[in-house]
Amino acid sequence: MSAATQYETKEISFKDSFSVNFLYNTLFGRMLLLLLTKPAISKFGGFFMDTKISKILIPVFIKNNKICLDEYEKIKYASFNDFFKREIKKEFRPISKNISDVFACCDGKLTAYFIDNKSAFKIKNSIYDIGDLLADKQLADEFIDGICLIFRLTPNDYHRYCYIDDGEYIISKKIKGVLHAVRPIALSKYKVYTQNSREYAVLQTKNFGKIIQMEVGALFIGRITNNAKNGIFSRGEEKGMFEFGGSTIVMLFQKNAVKIDNIIYENTQKNRETVVKMGNKIGEKTIREKEK
């Protein structure tokens, strides 16, 4: 996918299913949320999704989410979670061979934001402080005037994610929290990304400098499985996966490190998400003076 490609877009809607509207827009629903957003509840749900009986949910899930199984290897699944974290055939998620290309680390609905000189960015009426997001003010200051990308995964997306460049770990960190939904309706009520359980890695990459890749848990999705917490990694190598449901990946880039396609910013400003697949080009490395 080149910068000139016409991306598919999706209007950000604050309307949702009856059950989600009930949870976030009624007094009793919000009271119930106090219980449902606890990680222990997600652990219980995850336990069921690991059982053999959970396989009965697979056909309905495939139909409701219009999942094309031709893209995946034909195997027998031991549980719903086994199906949910299935691996896709590599030819359906090709990675750009141009090392200057910034590509999507996962499937998702993408929005892009500029981090201001106070180390913050705005989503609708909520101001997100990077220091709160990372629970580290000093680290956040390194990303002032940088870029924040948010990939919102939904149930029909591929739920594995990868590294966007060669590099090595600097640190990794896990932050305990609750587990709100990551749907727009929840974002309009709560500062989801600074409240939810999340974990992130600070990565020193070969072509894009220091970046942060953060996985955010969501309602009923307490399990984030990363394959490594340290060491070196390669461009396109699998970093990890989410189990049942949809969730979010947040990526932070430092000032003047990359240039993201303008259409993605324009869509974000128009209250639209840009639909991407893992491996799609979404921008490119910024050529610094010393490299010219």
Side-chain angles (χ1 to χ4, degrees):
M1 177 180 288
S2 68
T5 299
Q6 291 296 312
Y7 292 96
E8 181 186 350
T9 61
K10 179 179 183 295
E11 294 291 334
I12 300 176
S13 174
F14 288 83
K15 295 180 180 180
D16 225 309
S17 65
F18 172 80
S19 58
V20 174
N21 272 304
F22 168 74
L23 287 173
Y24 284 91
N25 284 329
T26 69
L27 177 60
F28 183 74
R30 289 194 293 271
M31 291 173 63
L32 187 58
L33 268 179
L34 294 175
L35 174 65
L36 295 180
T37 54
K38 301 296 182 184
I41 300 299
S42 279
K43 287 181 181 179
F44 178 79
F47 173 79
F48 171 75
M49 292 301 182
D50 280 334
T51 63
K52 289 183 179 180
I53 195 173
S54 67
K55 290 192 294 182
I56 63 174
L57 302 175
I58 295 175
V60 175
F61 186 86
I62 292 170
K63 181 179 179 180
N64 289 346
N65 292 285
K66 300 178 181 178
I67 295 171
C68 178
L69 289 182
D70 292 340
E71 298 181 1
Y72 301 89
E73 299 292 345
K74 291 185 178 180
I75 63 172
K76 289 185 177 181
Y77 301 107
S79 65
F80 183 86
N81 255 337
D82 191 32
F83 160 77
F84 190 79
K85 59 188 182 184
R86 65 200 177 279
E87 289 191 66
I88 203 164
K89 296 176 183 176
K90 293 189 182 300
E91 59 264 32
F92 288 99
R93 294 296 182 274
I95 302 299
S96 170
K97 294 180 180 180
N98 186 339
I99 60 172
S100 294
D101 287 349
V102 179
F103 63 83
C105 65
C106 62
D107 286 13
K109 286 69 184 171
L110 173 62
T111 48
Y113 307 88
F114 291 107
I115 302 168
D116 67 21
N117 58 10
K118 295 181 181 179
S119 188
F121 62 94
K122 184 177 182 180
I123 300 179
K124 294 296 287 183
N125 297 320
S126 295
I127 302 294
Y128 280 87
D129 185 287
I130 301 295
D132 293 337
L133 184 70
L134 303 175
D136 187 328
K137 277 288 185 184
Q138 186 174 352
L139 178 60
D141 287 345
E142 297 183 34
F143 291 85
I144 287 175
D145 293 330
I147 294 170
C148 174
L149 301 180
I150 298 180
F151 299 86
R152 185 176 68 89
L153 287 75
T154 51
N156 61 325
D157 287 320
Y158 181 49
H159 271 71
R160 295 182 181 233
Y161 45 88
C162 70
Y163 300 101
I164 64 167
D165 199 14
D166 296 341
E168 63 180 337
Y169 275 77
I170 300 176
I171 61 168
S172 57
K173 184 173 184 176
K174 189 170 185 177
I175 302 172
K176 293 182 179 180
V178 294
L179 290 167
H180 280 291
V182 292
R183 298 181 186 186
I185 192 172
L187 293 173
S188 70
K189 303 289 184 181
Y190 301 92
K191 289 190 175 183
V192 169
Y193 301 132
T194 55
Q195 293 182 16
N196 279 24
S197 299
R198 56 202 185 277
E199 53 185 87
Y200 67 84
V202 183
L203 309 172
Q204 185 62 47
T205 66
K206 183 177 180 180
N207 293 289
F208 312 124
K210 183 184 287 186
I211 69 171
I212 290 177
Q213 186 164 336
M214 171 182 284
E215 296 81 37
V216 183
L219 192 65
F220 303 131
I221 309 98
R223 283 192 288 188
I224 300 166
T225 303
N226 280 311
N227 298 330
K229 305 288 184 179
N230 53 60
I232 61 173
F233 51 85
S234 301
R235 178 183 175 88
E237 178 186 345
E238 184 180 287
K239 184 177 186 293
M241 68 194 78
F242 292 109
E243 298 191 21
F244 176 60
S247 201
T248 298
I249 291 179
V250 178
M251 296 198 72
L252 305 178
F253 295 87
Q254 292 182 315
K255 181 180 179 180
N256 296 330
V258 300
K259 182 181 184 298
I260 301 302
D261 290 352
N262 286 333
I263 188 64
I264 297 172
Y265 294 117
E266 292 170 8
N267 285 338
T268 301
Q269 291 169 1
K270 293 176 182 177
N271 211 36
R272 296 173 182 166
E273 295 172 306
T274 303
V275 180
V276 296
K277 300 294 185 183
M278 186 172 75
N280 287 167
K281 180 186 174 185
I282 57 173
E284 58 190 17
K285 174 183 180 180
T286 300
I287 302 176
R288 298 181 176 88
E289 288 298 323
K290 64 181 181 180
E291 296 174 336
K292 293 181 179 180

